[in-house]
Amino acid sequence: MDKKLVIILTLFLSLVILLGTFIKMPANKETVAHKSQVGGFLIEFEDGTTEQEVKSVLKNSNMPINYSIDYNSDIMSSRCYIVVNEDKIVNIRDELRKKENWTDPIFPDFKKGDYYIITVTKQAIQDENFLKVTEDNNLQVIKSILCLVRFGDGSKDWILGKDYILKDDAVKIKNELEMNEKVLVVSPDYIEG
């Protein structure tokens, strides 16, 4: 009787483990399907970056799938910005916000190497007082170059696993790209689903 009980218990436990495995598999697949997915990036490059340089930067990154590039995209207007040495950032920032706030409220200042990038409004670059501040501080207003990078072959029919990457992978690539001196900002294009 003890042998029969052991065999029955062993079979029962085996069935429980087997059922547990099958029950967990669909939940895991469902979880993966609901993770944030990224269908591409909007990348801002510094002024003067050529299409060939953009291709080179992307080629040297760890992009896991094929992509297409819309160089100098008109999907939105380019960022106008000034580059300020980090030891002058406080004074310049104060001067830009003294009379009228010429900085763009949507885009915060950010650090790039030993410099800060301050986004300025389109109205500012036509304001004589603003131009006087930039002239007095030997600053130049620069426009970014926008590039839209879409994963896949560019068709409208998205194929899961082929035309997107997961958010975690996108964050790694974003951080890697932003280390490049020519890249200002990388914004992932999230897919809803």
Side-chain angles (χ1 to χ4, degrees):
M1 264 204 197
D2 288 324
K3 269 187 168 183
K4 282 184 181 181
L5 186 57
V6 169
I7 291 173
I8 291 173
L9 282 174
T10 304
L11 285 173
F12 177 74
L13 288 175
S14 297
L15 275 172
V16 169
I17 291 171
L18 194 58
L19 281 173
T21 303
F22 285 118
I23 290 170
K24 286 182 183 178
M25 282 177 54
N28 287 339
K29 285 182 182 177
E30 192 172 301
T31 302
V32 169
H34 291 296
K35 283 190 175 185
S36 293
Q37 303 160 359
V38 175
F41 294 111
L42 181 62
I43 305 175
E44 289 185 74
F45 287 87
E46 68 179 18
D47 185 47
T49 305
T50 66
E51 187 171 1
Q52 190 57 41
E53 289 172 316
V54 168
K55 288 178 180 178
S56 178
V57 167
L58 293 173
K59 183 180 177 186
N60 292 326
S61 69
N62 288 316
M63 294 281 194
I65 59 178
N66 290 333
Y67 54 87
S68 61
I69 305 168
D70 179 10
Y71 175 77
N72 205 13
S73 176
D74 62 357
I75 194 167
M76 61 184 257
S77 60
S78 296
R79 179 190 309 248
C80 292
Y81 64 96
I82 55 176
V83 179
V84 180
N85 198 325
E86 76 179 320
D87 61 342
K88 295 182 179 184
I89 187 65
V90 174
N91 293 337
I92 299 294
R93 210 183 266 145
D94 288 346
E95 203 165 338
L96 289 174
R97 295 175 180 155
K98 191 184 306 180
K99 292 182 183 176
E100 186 174 335
N101 189 0
W102 290 312
T103 61
D104 194 319
I106 297 172
F107 301 106
D109 304 347
F110 62 93
K111 190 170 184 195
K112 184 78 176 171
D114 294 336
Y115 299 92
Y116 277 87
I117 305 295
I118 299 177
T119 305
V120 295
T121 63
K122 301 259 191 248
Q123 293 80 16
I125 61 176
Q126 298 174 12
D127 186 306
E128 289 181 28
N129 295 320
F130 171 80
L131 296 174
K132 177 84 170 111
V133 169
T134 57
E135 185 180 319
D136 290 348
N137 290 285
N138 199 25
L139 300 171
Q140 184 178 15
V141 177
I142 308 166
K143 275 187 158 185
S144 65
I145 294 174
L146 296 174
C147 294
L148 181 61
V149 176
R150 304 295 293 165
F151 296 139
D153 62 6
S155 72
K156 300 289 183 201
D157 299 323
W158 288 73
I159 301 171
L160 296 179
K162 182 179 177 196
D163 297 331
Y164 78 92
I165 60 175
L166 295 177
K167 178 183 177 183
D168 295 345
D169 295 329
V171 168
K172 289 176 191 170
I173 294 169
K174 173 189 180 313
N175 292 339
E176 177 189 343
L177 286 169
E178 287 180 345
M179 296 289 286
N180 188 292
E181 64 187 23
K182 295 218 170 265
V183 176
L184 297 175
V185 177
V186 178
S187 303
D189 180 16
Y190 291 100
I191 301 170
E192 292 183 24

